[in-house]
Amino acid sequence: MSDTTTGASYAAAGVDIEAGDRAVELMKEWVKKTKRPEVLGGLGGFAGLFDASALKRYERPLLASATDGVGTKVDLARKMGVYDTIGHDLVGMVVDDLVVCGAEPLFMTDYICVGKVHPERVAAIVKGIAEGCVLAGCALVGGETAEHPGLLGEDDFDVAGAGTGVVEADQLLGPDRIRTGDAVIAMASSGLHSNGYSLVRHVVFDRAGWSLDREVPEFGRTLGEELLEPTKIYSLDCLALTRTTEVHAFSHVTGGGLAANLARVVPDALHARVDRSTWTPDAVFDVVGRAGNVERLELEKTLNMGVGMIAVVPGESVDAALTTLADRGVHAWVAGEITERGGHATGAALSGDYAS
């Protein structure tokens, strides 16, 4: 029974304002590293400010907006006590959706919800977000840390973010640009990224009975270390492609897998054919499949299978595109082509068997 002899307070209800202030102080140095020239002020205001006069150089600037979270991957971070990588995942999920239309990510805001504010833990999460923003070339202009005692356990947390980007109207990428004979260029993922973790967790924990500290020979590290591998951030690589060669479309491979996401940017009259034999998925995909006896189709519609981003380019742009990506340290290859849609063909499909 609660004590009703003393007055109620926010602290007694489980919210520690001083801890929240301490977290803000700890995260300031990391947020500062993301600052772009257009950003005004710093943390502590009610809203982040971005000088929109920077858009005057555009003839017709289109603002792009995206929002996302990291899903159940946050539970693995909590269990492992590793908080400075999950922010990379958050940034990647947001900015790589923005760049699909050719937009340059300008700024992000984040929302961190916790059961109890542990200042160092919150600061570590923001550190990861800030590092991700640096990799994406965008600013972290603000955010919110919310303490929800009673709804979340003391160690529970979740993260979400929103981003804004800009693209010149006549440079907008998408289905209208795609033509027959275009090449489908695949860019390698860094692993599972941030999708399909409900399936992965069910397979490795519930069915296989593995622990996070289990050493997995195929990974050369523990299961937990493999599962926490951060999402690769492609935004600056994609923008480099648009500057060095002609690009018709990008597709960010997230929930739904490669075929479903590629189909989203293929016009109705055309078909994208992707040849599995052009790459070998990382070991984690095979391990998850074998551990849970998961059918290939189920894996492919849930996980990225080793491809995190797709670029659709004209045939004559292939060499330049691959050279640009190689120069930037991105493993990429021609994985398929765009053809006329015929018979029962869908927007995109995979054929053949993966290379061994």
Side-chain angles (χ1 to χ4, degrees):
M1 180 177 295
S2 62
D3 180 8
T4 59
T5 61
T6 59
S9 68
Y10 216 9
V15 177
D16 189 340
I17 295 177
E18 291 183 357
D21 292 341
R22 168 68 175 157
V24 171
E25 287 301 315
L26 291 173
M27 67 178 69
K28 280 184 177 180
E29 66 171 297
W30 299 109
V31 175
K32 185 177 181 180
K33 296 178 186 294
T34 75
K35 193 167 184 177
R36 291 173 49 128
E38 305 94 337
V39 175
L40 304 179
L43 289 185
F46 286 91
L49 297 175
F50 189 92
D51 186 354
S53 67
L55 305 184
K56 288 181 179 179
R57 70 179 187 270
Y58 291 84
E59 290 291 326
R60 185 187 169 200
L62 302 181
L63 293 180
S65 177
T67 186
D68 212 333
V70 179
T72 58
K73 190 172 184 177
V74 298
D75 186 55
L76 302 179
R78 178 186 65 82
K79 289 178 176 177
M80 292 190 66
V82 176
Y83 303 99
D84 62 350
T85 61
I86 206 76
H88 287 235
D89 297 287
L90 179 64
V91 175
M93 297 302 288
V94 173
V95 300
D96 287 339
D97 276 355
L98 292 176
V99 82
V100 162
C101 67
E104 174 193 358
L106 297 175
F107 57 85
M108 274 192 65
T109 57
D110 63 62
Y111 178 79
I112 303 171
C113 182
V114 300
K116 179 178 176 59
V117 172
H118 299 279
E120 289 74 16
R121 186 177 302 174
V122 172
I125 296 171
V126 174
K127 170 180 178 286
I129 297 172
E131 290 174 338
C133 285
V134 170
L135 292 174
C138 68
L140 181 60
V141 298
E144 171 72 7
T145 300
E147 194 170 24
H148 289 177
L151 291 180
L152 298 174
E154 287 195 2
D155 291 329
D156 292 338
F157 75 98
D158 199 5
V159 296
T164 298
V166 63
V167 59
E168 189 71 75
D170 63 6
Q171 296 175 18
L172 185 69
L173 304 180
D176 291 345
R177 292 179 177 260
I178 293 181
R179 300 289 183 267
T180 301
D182 282 356
V184 175
I185 293 180
M187 300 179 220
S189 68
S190 56
L192 295 170
H193 284 186
S194 299
N195 290 104
Y197 274 77
S198 292
L199 171 64
V200 173
R201 289 165 60 246
H202 171 67
V203 166
V204 298
F205 301 139
D206 300 337
R207 294 184 65 116
W210 292 358
S211 61
L212 287 168
D213 60 359
R214 178 189 178 97
E215 292 286 345
V216 182
E218 294 92 334
F219 303 157
R221 54 182 173 177
T222 68
L223 173 65
E225 289 169 336
E226 177 69 27
L227 297 186
L228 276 192
E229 179 67 34
T231 300
K232 183 169 177 56
I233 297 173
Y234 300 93
S235 57
L236 292 183
D237 304 313
C238 291
L239 292 173
L241 274 187
T242 65
R243 291 192 298 268
T244 59
T245 190
E246 184 177 356
V247 178
H248 288 166
F250 291 115
S251 176
H252 186 197
V253 182
T254 56
L258 194 161
N261 283 284
L262 181 54
R264 295 167 66 180
V265 299
V266 176
D268 290 341
L270 300 180
H271 172 72
R273 182 187 63 80
V274 177
D275 184 357
R276 296 185 185 94
S277 69
T278 59
W279 81 96
T280 302
D282 291 343
V284 65
F285 302 101
D286 180 60
V287 169
V288 169
R290 287 188 288 105
N293 194 27
V294 186
E295 295 183 359
R296 185 170 71 180
L297 181 60
E298 184 68 21
L299 285 175
E300 290 179 342
K301 73 179 185 181
T302 307
L303 307 177
N304 66 60
M305 300 305 291
V307 178
M309 181 70 77
I310 291 285
V312 181
V313 306
E316 60 269 23
S317 296
V318 167
D319 289 344
L322 292 177
T323 297
T324 295
L325 292 171
D327 288 345
R328 297 183 60 84
V330 179
H331 176 43
W333 63 94
V334 175
E337 63 178 343
I338 302 296
T339 64
E340 294 288 339
R341 191 168 183 170
H344 299 289
T346 58
L350 279 66
S351 63
D353 293 320
Y354 292 111
S356 57

